[in-house]
Amino acid sequence: MPSVNAACVSVDEETIVLDQPSALIDIRGVCRSFPKGSGEQLLVLDKVDLSIRSGEIVGLLGRSGSGKSTLLRIIAGLVTPSSGSATCRGETIIGPPNGVAMVFQSFALFPWLTVLQNVELGLEALGIDATERRKRALAAIDLIGLDGFESAFPKELSGGMRQRVGFARALVVHPDLLLMDEPFSALDVLTAETLRTDLIDLWIEGRLPIKSVLMVTHNIEEAVLMCDRILVFSSNPGRVAAEIKVELPHPRNRLDPYFRQFVDNIYARMTQRAEPKAPSIEGIPGTGIGMTLHHVSSNVLSGLIETLAGPPYHGHADLPVLASQLQFEADEILHLGESLQLLRFAQLSEGDLMLTEAGKRFAHLDTDARKKLFAEHLLTYVPVMGLIRRVLDERPSHIAPATRFRNELEDYMSEDYASETLKTVVSWGRYAELFAYDEQSETFSLENPG
Ligand code: ADP
Ligand code: MG
């Protein structure tokens, strides 16, 4: 009997699938480039495919700069793809599509309007009459837990309450798709968790006047907590590297071993080497001068090496464990791990971080010897460090303006990343005593010329 039943179920399911409307959003082969500082194009999204159907919460998970916001803005009709197609209900997206609302990380409220006015604003463009507007705005305010704050101004509210206004303003239009761009990342940990849980509870109870959600995040646990499906983005350029279905019932428990398995699995995918790049040709992103350096302090790096070397890790740690123990977010621990890997003090693999021999050695040296070893690795493994040092050595003045290197970096990366990379170069170089840097005149110089 069970087998007969199973057969029936699968036929039923097939019928249901066939009856379902086609995808609400369809993204096919979407690429998007932006001009770099140097005037050339930086490929941010590369052949991205994505569909969103009614009834699901989809997460876009990826590192900072992987193009998540750009993709969201394409769906919101705020950015056009360079190539490929983006459709909403089968129609090409050429401006904000009907039935799509967005919640921003920065809340984006009007400070001179009350809560009620901010929420009603979402309806004005739809030509809904004043009575109905008021009714729906009050209902959204009530639903999202802002009852009693209708006449408050944004500045009178806490961050969490302000973001609730952001949600109410999006919900009031009863959108088919709610887009959320890191909506919790500007909130403190507890406030963020309360808001996440409230939203999921409302979603599960079917009380949210929306049909689907697309949420951008760089927080792995947040994605596993909330989403039915997670698309993991790789960076440089942004591509969909993996799709993970999270078939855990709600309410989900972060301590549940299955939950942990999902988190581990995603960490592993995010630390996997992308398909082997061509042997390091000068000019491809991620090698040579064009290597992006994330701004992580050398003190944090050396502290991390020390922690990794000691108990209970003894040189080998599981990234999610390390992140939660040291209270780092996924994005931060990955940047740290990558920096250590770049410097050959550790190796990332399948969601683990392991010290190399050099890393173990580093942990046991005194401060001066650490600086020397750090300097050695910087010059060997970070091409831009070698370049700066060479230029300073060669110039009789032993001085060089930062623009000299900034321009070179901008041939390979966006202005933002060039700035971040330069900032990192300065702080690592100072720690290693490779050169000095004067903020005022923005010049590099040799500390002990000759
Ligand atoms: P994420 O949201 O994943 O952090 P973004 O989509 O914001 O990533 O940005 C991806 C890359 O695209 C970054 O290098 C960023 O500097 C660049 N970028 C985004 N928008 C623009 C723009 N309007 N002009 C130039 N570069 C941009
Ligand atoms: Mg973003």
Side-chain angles (χ1 to χ4, degrees):
M1 173 167 149
S3 67
V4 173
N5 250 344
C8 287
V9 167
S10 81
V11 169
D12 275 0
E13 273 175 356
E14 234 164 48
T15 328
I16 292 167
V17 171
L18 287 174
D19 280 345
Q20 258 190 3
S22 58
L24 179 64
I25 298 288
D26 231 329
I27 300 290
R28 289 289 146 237
V30 159
C31 300
R32 172 72 211 203
S33 319
F34 289 111
K36 284 187 290 194
S38 62
E40 283 167 58
Q41 297 288 313
L42 172 75
L43 184 61
V44 170
L45 293 175
D46 188 25
K47 302 196 194 79
V48 172
D49 293 327
L50 157 74
S51 300
I52 299 166
R53 296 197 158 66
S54 236
E56 57 177 359
I57 302 185
V58 179
L60 288 183
L61 182 67
R63 325 280 290 280
S64 304
S66 57
K68 305 179 299 294
S69 294
T70 303
L71 182 57
L72 212 67
R73 295 167 66 80
I74 287 175
I75 295 171
L78 303 171
V79 167
T80 50
S82 307
S83 63
S85 87
T87 60
C88 178
R89 294 183 207 84
E91 289 183 23
T92 301
I93 299 174
I94 38 170
N98 277 336
V100 175
M102 180 121 142
V103 176
F104 299 90
Q105 174 183 13
S106 57
F107 318 148
L109 304 179
F110 293 101
W112 60 88
L113 299 181
T114 63
V115 167
L116 182 60
Q117 289 165 331
N118 263 292
V119 175
E120 275 192 39
L121 205 64
L123 290 173
E124 259 168 52
L126 299 183
I128 292 169
D129 73 65
T131 325
E132 179 66 15
R133 275 210 308 261
R134 178 65 41 102
K135 203 176 116 202
R136 273 168 69 170
L138 288 173
I141 285 172
D142 197 23
L143 180 70
I144 205 73
L146 282 168
D147 204 13
F149 290 90
E150 293 82 358
S151 47
F153 287 94
K155 66 169 189 306
E156 300 170 302
L157 302 176
S158 66
M161 294 301 260
R162 278 184 219 169
Q163 189 55 306
R164 282 178 196 262
V165 182
F167 276 108
R169 192 180 49 194
L171 295 176
V172 76
V173 302
H174 299 185
D176 291 336
L177 172 64
L178 181 66
L179 301 173
M180 312 204 282
D181 196 351
E182 308 207 9
F184 310 107
S185 61
L187 306 174
D188 66 78
V189 177
L190 283 178
T191 308
E193 191 65 2
T194 312
L195 195 46
R196 276 184 205 114
T197 317
D198 284 0
L199 274 176
I200 285 296
D201 288 349
L202 290 171
W203 171 260
I204 298 306
E205 291 162 14
R207 293 171 61 200
L208 288 182
I210 56 180
K211 300 211 173 89
S212 53
V213 178
L214 177 62
M215 181 175 95
V216 162
T217 176
H218 64 246
N219 182 324
I220 296 177
E221 298 213 0
E222 177 174 296
V224 177
L225 194 73
M226 300 186 69
C227 300
D228 300 309
R229 195 150 65 86
I230 300 172
L231 300 178
V232 181
F233 259 57
S234 63
S235 320
N236 289 319
R239 289 194 183 120
V240 178
E243 176 176 345
I244 294 161
K245 284 204 167 68
V246 188
E247 284 161 334
L248 294 174
H250 289 281
R252 294 179 182 162
N253 175 357
R254 288 174 190 268
L255 301 176
D256 174 359
Y258 288 111
F259 190 103
R260 303 311 320 168
Q261 245 171 42
F262 274 103
V263 173
D264 277 3
N265 182 357
I266 295 174
Y267 262 106
R269 284 173 192 262
M270 290 178 80
T271 52
Q272 240 164 28
R273 293 271 120 237
E275 67 264 28
K277 287 242 170 78
S280 75
I281 305 162
E282 274 275 14
I284 69 164
T287 60
I289 302 289
M291 194 183 262
T292 305
L293 303 177
H294 294 293
H295 193 228
V296 298
S297 100
S298 42
N299 281 330
V300 173
L301 285 181
S302 61
L304 182 59
I305 294 177
E306 224 171 273
T307 307
L308 264 176
Y313 305 112
H314 304 292
H316 188 151
D318 183 46
L319 277 178
V321 171
L322 199 61
S324 78
Q325 208 118 84
L326 303 179
Q327 308 225 332
F328 283 122
E329 277 205 36
D331 215 36
E332 296 171 297
I333 197 79
L334 285 169
H335 281 171
L336 287 167
E338 277 196 345
S339 302
L340 287 183
Q341 173 163 281
L342 176 75
L343 295 168
R344 310 297 196 274
F345 287 128
Q347 201 187 336
L348 278 169
S349 164
E350 298 294 322
D352 288 355
L353 186 60
M354 287 155 291
L355 285 183
T356 58
E357 285 312 311
K360 289 178 192 158
R361 208 150 22 90
F362 183 98
H364 295 107
L365 295 174
D366 65 25
T367 309
D368 276 344
R370 278 184 181 185
K371 286 182 180 223
K372 277 209 188 79
L373 186 59
F374 202 79
E376 223 173 83
H377 280 232
L378 282 180
L379 290 175
T380 315
Y381 301 116
V382 186
V384 68
M385 288 290 183
L387 173 72
I388 294 175
R389 189 54 205 234
R390 217 162 44 244
V391 169
L392 292 176
D393 281 336
E394 280 166 10
R395 291 190 175 188
S397 62
H398 302 301
I399 290 174
T403 48
R404 157 75 180 75
F405 307 108
R406 188 188 302 275
N407 290 340
E408 192 139 350
L409 290 174
E410 286 180 1
D411 287 345
Y412 299 94
M413 59 186 85
S414 70
E415 283 175 64
D416 297 353
Y417 281 122
S419 293
E420 184 173 351
T421 299
L422 214 55
K423 229 162 94 183
T424 310
V425 161
V426 167
S427 77
W428 290 0
R430 276 177 174 160
Y431 168 78
E433 296 175 11
L434 279 175
F435 42 69
Y437 182 75
D438 182 60
E439 309 280 351
Q440 211 105 79
S441 59
E442 301 199 330
T443 49
F444 288 93
S445 61
L446 282 190
E447 223 148 17
N448 309 302

